[in-house]
Each structure stands twice: as structure tokens, then as C-alpha cells.
Amino acid sequence: MLVIRPVRPADLPSLERLAGNATPRLTNLPAHRDRLEERIARSQRAFASEVEAPGDEHYIFVLEDLERGEVAGTATIRAQAGAREAYYTYRQETLIHASQQLDVRREVPTLSLSHEVSEATLLCALSLDARYKGTSAESLLRRSRLMFISQYPERFAGILAMAFPGYLDDQGESPFWNSVGRHFFVRDYQEINYLAGVRSKSFIAEVMPQFPLYLSLLTPQARAAIGREHPGHESAMNEMLAEGFLRSRHVDIFDAGQVIKAERERLASFRRAAWHPVRVRPAHTLPDAEPAMVANQRLVDFRCVVARYALSPTGQLMLSPEHAELLGVEEGRAVLAAPLALPGVGDGSEHEPGYDEGEL
């Protein structure tokens, strides 16, 4: 039995393990005990606070396997990516260089330092035990955050964003970092990524060049890495594009990994979610049905599970006693349910990159 719930102080050792095993290592999930402890405390304050508008709240969730008695994954929502300090990205742009005298007109692609994503809500710091990858647990951990956001819209921005880890070579090096950032920081990619997670990213504005970077001056390997996600995250990218996210013109400043964005109301989990009163029935009597994410209506005691989307003729969601207990709901109480499957995931179809109107 798997359940998503808010993080607790007792989960610290599990978060350390998940941070240390993340591939690649995540800036927002540093393998540093003191920083993780601070993040857990911040998450508990966020869940316990009355919030009218998004700010510096971090909501950390864990995936708990009750049968094994262990935490198998974690994921975070940052209510406002740049609430405390600007959230920096590189924005892909095009400059026109033209000369009438020489009859020359060149469109030159560039990268410009930007903090436009600072106002968005950021889905980040997801790490899952390798034993659960490729299962429904992975989708549950990634997308249960959307079930939480849909219930508490005042706590989050209208635009959601995700920054995917960028491409690394066989030696774990970032071609983009080696061609750009390393000229300004005498640090390798892994070290700077760790420092950004343990400390802050304020040094970016202090040291990184403020002028546009001309892509033609970068190495071919660096140019090829721009907007390319880490191979281990390709399936996650595919799922979130199917969810309704779009590739933006923004990429990570360290490894040039893709930043995707979406208006939350356009996402499939928001559009397809529905409230249903609960009817509790023995598991063996429940009809076959497609799996769904099912969440309760609580804040501090938020819970989300995967259960059958089995509806009675009167629109009640039929749950087993085990699932009802996990969610902390009684018969007649309402739960939020959304189909777990997304169109286009696992059927070999490809998603066009696309840009939302704000990116044109």
C-alpha cells in the first residue's frame, strides 16, 4: 500500500538516502543533513500556516510504502520560485545582425540571463527509489502535487514550472557548464550544483555575465545540450508534456536543462479531476476500473493514493476499507479523484515542443 503524505522530522534519514541516490544530484535536494532538516522544518511551517497568496512556502511530500515500512520517494512544491531571491534561468532569444551596405542579415541565437520564472510555482526535488521506477508509484509521486495544488489554489501561482536536469556526458560532466559557467567559477559542475543547493544561488547574479551569450561561440557539445533533459528523465518529461506542460524558452543556468511551464487550469489532472462522495465496500466486491489518483480534503493530513476509479450508478467512488483508512475518510465524505493514465503516455506518440502565448 503506497500513500503520499507531508514530510515528517522522522523522515530525515530517508531524505538523506534519496538525495544521495538521485541521478543526477539535485540542487533542490542536497545530500546535506542540516539543510534537509531545515527544509523539513520549513515544510511543516508551510502546511501549518494560513496562506492567502503564494510566498516562500516549501511543501515537501513523501511516498511511503506501508508494507515495507519505508519512505520510497520525495517531491516538493515551492509556492513561488523566486520568493526569497530571484530564480535565474537562461532565456533563448534571437538577435538580428544586419548591414544594408554589405547586404548581410543574420539571425543569431543567444541566451540571456533572466528571472522571469521567479513568479511561478515550481515543482521540484523529486527523487524515487530505483525499485519503484516505471511503476504507478512514479506517476503518483510526480502528479499528486497537482492534486494538492488544485485544492488550495490560493497558495500557488497560476503558472506552474518544472526545471529538468540537463544532459551530462558519460563522465558525469555537463558540456554546457564546461563551455560557459566554468569560465566564471573555478568549480566543476558537480561541485557548483552542490554549493547551490547547500547555500543559495545569489552568487549567480554576482558572477555570471549579464550580457547575452552567443551560441555560435559555445562548443558544439554545449549547443547540443541546450534544452536537452538528462536521459534518466526522458519518461518524466514525456509524462508532463502529456499532462499539458509546454517547453518554454528557458533553460537551467548550470546545465541548460529544459524548463517547462503551464497554466494550471490547462493541465489534464486539473481538468479531469472530480469530487465524489465515498462508498466503502470490501475490496473483492469492487468492479474493475482504471486506476486513479484519489486525495482527501485535508491540509496538514493530506493523503493521496492510487485506487480504482470505480463509480456507483449515483456517482459515489467505491473504495476498499484499506484505502478509506489510508485517506482518513468515512463513507459519505468527498474525495478528489483524477485518472492516473494520461493520453499519449506509453503509446509511442511524441509531443511537439510548443510555446505558450507568453513565450512568443
Side-chain angles (χ1 to χ4, degrees):
M1 299 290 281
L2 303 176
V3 62
I4 299 292
R5 61 166 174 80
V7 72
R8 301 168 182 160
D11 299 322
L12 178 58
S14 297
L15 261 60
E16 286 185 284
R17 173 177 52 83
L18 291 166
N21 293 336
T23 305
R25 295 295 180 91
L26 304 176
T27 303
N28 289 300
L29 189 66
H32 189 285
R33 189 177 186 86
D34 290 344
R35 295 298 171 265
L36 291 174
E37 199 168 25
E38 291 174 4
R39 281 166 166 75
I40 292 173
R42 177 186 292 182
S43 176
Q44 289 194 299
R45 290 195 298 271
F47 278 102
S49 300
E50 293 185 8
V51 176
E52 297 181 356
D56 192 33
E57 298 84 27
H58 288 202
Y59 303 87
I60 302 177
F61 301 86
V62 297
L63 171 70
E64 185 176 8
D65 187 330
L66 297 174
E67 291 183 0
R68 290 179 171 171
E70 65 181 17
V71 168
T74 183
T76 296
I77 307 172
R78 289 173 60 179
Q80 191 177 69
R84 178 173 294 186
E85 56 188 21
Y87 181 83
Y88 286 96
T89 62
Y90 273 126
R91 179 183 169 95
Q92 301 179 74
E93 299 177 347
T94 301
L95 295 180
I96 305 297
H97 289 250
S99 170
Q100 292 184 348
Q101 291 181 331
L102 299 178
D103 191 25
V104 172
R105 184 183 186 278
R106 295 290 302 277
E107 294 186 359
V108 182
T110 65
L111 293 175
S112 296
L113 202 61
S114 168
H115 45 76
E116 295 174 20
V117 184
S118 293
E119 298 300 313
T121 287
L122 190 67
L123 306 182
C124 60
L126 187 147
S127 180
L128 180 66
D129 188 298
R131 293 171 295 175
Y132 297 82
K133 291 185 177 180
T135 71
S136 60
E138 190 168 10
S139 293
L140 175 65
L141 179 61
R142 186 176 297 120
R143 293 168 49 220
S144 60
R145 293 173 292 182
L146 303 179
M147 300 289 281
F148 183 79
I149 292 172
S150 67
Q151 294 193 51
Y152 303 99
E154 71 282 358
R155 291 175 175 261
F156 305 101
I159 300 296
L160 307 183
M162 294 181 69
F164 276 79
Y167 172 78
L168 303 181
D169 62 22
D170 293 339
Q171 288 72 44
E173 294 286 335
S174 166
F176 182 80
W177 175 258
N178 288 340
S179 185
V180 179
R182 190 156 191 160
H183 294 294
F184 303 93
F185 300 87
V186 189
R187 300 283 195 281
D188 62 26
Y189 168 75
Q190 299 294 349
E191 184 179 1
I192 203 69
N193 195 43
Y194 176 77
L195 289 174
V198 172
R199 298 179 184 177
S200 73
K201 291 187 176 181
S202 60
F203 58 78
I204 295 168
E206 299 167 353
V207 182
M208 291 296 276
Q210 301 296 312
F211 299 102
L213 301 176
Y214 285 71
L215 267 59
S216 57
L217 301 180
L218 305 184
T219 64
Q221 294 84 354
R223 293 197 298 270
I226 296 173
R228 181 180 175 185
E229 66 272 15
H230 187 279
H233 292 256
E234 290 176 355
S235 61
M237 173 69 81
N238 189 49
E239 180 176 43
M240 298 316 286
L241 293 178
E243 176 70 61
F245 280 87
L246 297 173
R247 294 179 182 269
S248 75
R249 301 188 189 277
H250 296 267
V251 297
D252 184 82
I253 59 168
F254 293 153
D255 58 22
Q258 180 69 67
V259 176
I260 60 175
K261 297 168 64 178
E263 296 180 20
R264 65 189 186 194
E265 287 79 9
R266 295 187 179 185
L267 296 178
S269 292
F270 284 77
R271 293 185 288 103
R272 302 166 74 193
W275 290 98
H276 299 282
V278 169
R279 175 181 289 181
V280 180
R281 291 292 182 270
H284 70 275
T285 66
L286 298 181
D288 289 335
E290 293 298 317
M293 296 181 293
V294 182
N296 64 11
Q297 298 186 62
R298 299 181 181 179
L299 178 61
V300 177
D301 295 318
F302 175 80
R303 298 291 186 273
C304 188
V305 301
V306 172
R308 300 181 206 174
Y309 209 152
L311 297 180
S312 71
T314 55
Q316 294 172 304
L317 183 65
M318 293 183 280
L319 292 177
S320 68
E322 293 79 12
H323 279 133
E325 183 178 0
L326 282 180
L327 293 168
V329 296
E330 301 173 352
E331 189 157 305
R333 295 297 298 270
V335 292
L336 184 66
L340 185 66
L342 289 168
V345 175
D347 60 7
S349 63
E350 296 183 358
H351 301 276
E352 293 297 324
Y355 296 100
D356 59 33
E357 294 179 356
E359 294 289 338
L360 297 178

